[in-house]
Amino acid sequence: MNGVEDRIIGEAAAWHAASMHDEMDWDGFTAWLEADPRHRAAYDEVALADALVGEHRDALVPESPAANDDPHMDAPVATRRIPAWTRWAGAAIAATLAAILALPQFLPPSPVIYETTSASRMVALEDGSSVMLAPHSRLEVKGERQERMALNGGAWFDIRHDPSRPLAIRAGGVEISDIGTRFDVQAAGEQVRVEVAQGEVKVSSEALAQPIRLTQGRGLSYDAKVGTALVSTVRPDAIGEWRTGRLTYDSAPLALVAEDLSRYAGIKVTVADDLRNRQFSGTLVIDNGEAALRDLSRLMGIDLVPGTGGYRLDDHSR
């Protein structure tokens, strides 16, 4: 066990011992239980171990030798022979206790959360896979083998194929699975875009009639709010292009483009409701966020309106 697991087990044992006394701090105990889901699991195992010992205490502690009837005689005393089943029971309970204290499986690893601000971050996984987490994004990794993830924002995934490790990623209302590939995910609210540079992935959602399989050079734009799922062809060299300071689109919703600019160019952009689904095709250089935004408004023939803390894309001509 590692130091954290040792500490949790020690705390669980201390709380269990304290619960036998009238001065038990029940409020403190409740707060400790609620602070981490591993606390409850550890306490339950400690309580179970204590109950097993109490139930079979006679089997664990042999009877004291019986003295000879004449206390003044130095004759050898008789000892009680412990039956084989009793010794087996004691050994079994000892083994149970050893397993509880030595094996950490009852303490599932806590989720690990990675968050970025203005810079991207590389996240290395235990199996050699990696995730490049985009600026202003959040990735949660959990599971015994880091097989479950949740993404809000953007990320480039380079995942090793392992049939025994069914990796699944939740993002923007969809689940991406059957992974052994390189792909890019952009998720903001109820919108998500998945593009595959190599290999194949499966994208599923309760709102989809059936899972959608994406192979190399294919992308999916999904919007749960309006109920659309559009599959298109994407140039493999344009996938994950944000890593080199460029954003390339082919018929992407303006709302998604604005989210990307807010994330990668560090400039806050909102879009008028009647423009959110207007499609944009082209490439934006994001080294200068304001220049990229001006290019976008000019290419689409819409207004760029300065506001408090950012800009708004609107169409005052209508």
Side-chain angles (χ1 to χ4, degrees):
M1 289 186 294
N2 60 37
V4 174
E5 291 160 355
D6 283 334
R7 175 180 58 78
I8 292 175
I9 291 175
E11 291 173 353
W15 280 116
H16 184 64
S19 69
M20 308 299 178
H21 303 283
D22 294 336
E23 60 270 26
M24 169 69 169
D25 178 11
W26 293 105
D27 290 339
F29 174 60
T30 301
W32 179 81
L33 285 178
E34 295 175 348
D36 190 322
R38 296 177 297 175
H39 291 177
R40 168 65 71 178
Y43 184 84
D44 289 346
E45 294 292 349
V46 168
L48 173 62
D50 184 55
L52 285 171
V53 172
E55 182 179 351
H56 300 281
R57 190 175 303 279
D58 291 341
L60 292 171
V61 181
E63 182 179 300
S64 300
N68 188 282
D69 290 339
D70 187 348
H72 301 291
M73 294 182 62
D74 293 331
V77 296
T79 59
R80 177 187 175 197
R81 184 173 182 271
I82 302 175
W85 73 267
T86 302
R87 293 197 302 272
W88 174 87
I93 295 171
T96 300
L97 292 175
I100 289 173
L101 295 176
L103 298 179
Q105 72 267 19
F106 70 93
L107 293 176
S110 294
V112 179
I113 297 174
Y114 302 92
E115 293 185 281
T116 55
T117 53
S118 59
S120 58
R121 176 181 180 180
M122 177 65 74
V123 177
L125 303 180
E126 293 177 358
D127 70 343
S129 301
S130 63
V131 182
M132 177 64 79
L133 188 60
H136 306 290
S137 300
R138 182 182 189 273
L139 178 70
E140 180 182 61
V141 181
K142 56 186 177 180
E144 293 287 347
R145 302 182 62 191
Q146 300 180 308
E147 74 277 9
R148 289 176 290 144
M149 302 183 191
L151 172 69
N152 182 25
W156 168 267
F157 293 87
D158 190 343
I159 304 298
R160 295 181 57 185
H161 180 63
D162 184 353
S164 68
R165 176 176 175 257
L167 183 63
I169 301 168
R170 296 289 304 179
V174 303
E175 182 174 278
I176 306 160
S177 57
D178 286 2
I179 298 166
T181 180
R182 303 170 71 202
F183 61 99
D184 188 71
V185 180
Q186 303 296 320
E190 297 181 279
Q191 291 186 324
V192 61
R193 183 174 72 246
V194 182
E195 296 177 343
V196 180
Q198 182 181 351
E200 179 178 348
V201 303
K202 180 178 71 174
V203 182
S204 56
S205 171
E206 294 180 357
L208 296 174
Q210 60 184 17
I212 297 174
R213 289 200 170 271
L214 300 176
T215 55
Q216 179 177 337
R218 302 287 283 175
L220 169 70
S221 293
Y222 174 79
D223 191 327
K225 185 175 182 179
V226 298
T228 59
L230 304 176
V231 177
S232 60
T233 300
V234 186
R235 292 195 344 261
D237 61 340
I239 300 174
E241 208 173 22
W242 57 267
R243 296 171 296 157
T244 60
R246 296 163 63 89
L247 297 173
T248 297
Y249 302 94
D250 183 7
S251 301
L254 186 56
L256 191 146
V257 177
E259 288 284 354
D260 284 353
L261 283 174
S262 296
R263 180 175 302 117
Y264 297 110
I267 185 168
K268 182 63 176 178
V269 187
T270 58
V271 183
D273 289 342
D274 57 349
L275 294 179
R276 292 184 61 82
N277 293 318
R278 183 181 291 190
Q279 296 182 339
F280 170 72
S281 297
T283 297
L284 300 173
V285 179
I286 56 177
D287 292 340
N288 185 321
E290 291 189 351
L293 192 52
R294 287 194 298 269
D295 290 342
L296 175 63
S297 65
R298 185 174 62 254
L299 289 170
M300 298 199 69
I302 56 179
D303 298 323
L304 179 60
V305 183
T308 303
Y311 294 86
R312 176 181 176 84
L313 292 171
D314 211 332
D315 189 354
H316 293 147
S317 64
R318 292 191 291 178

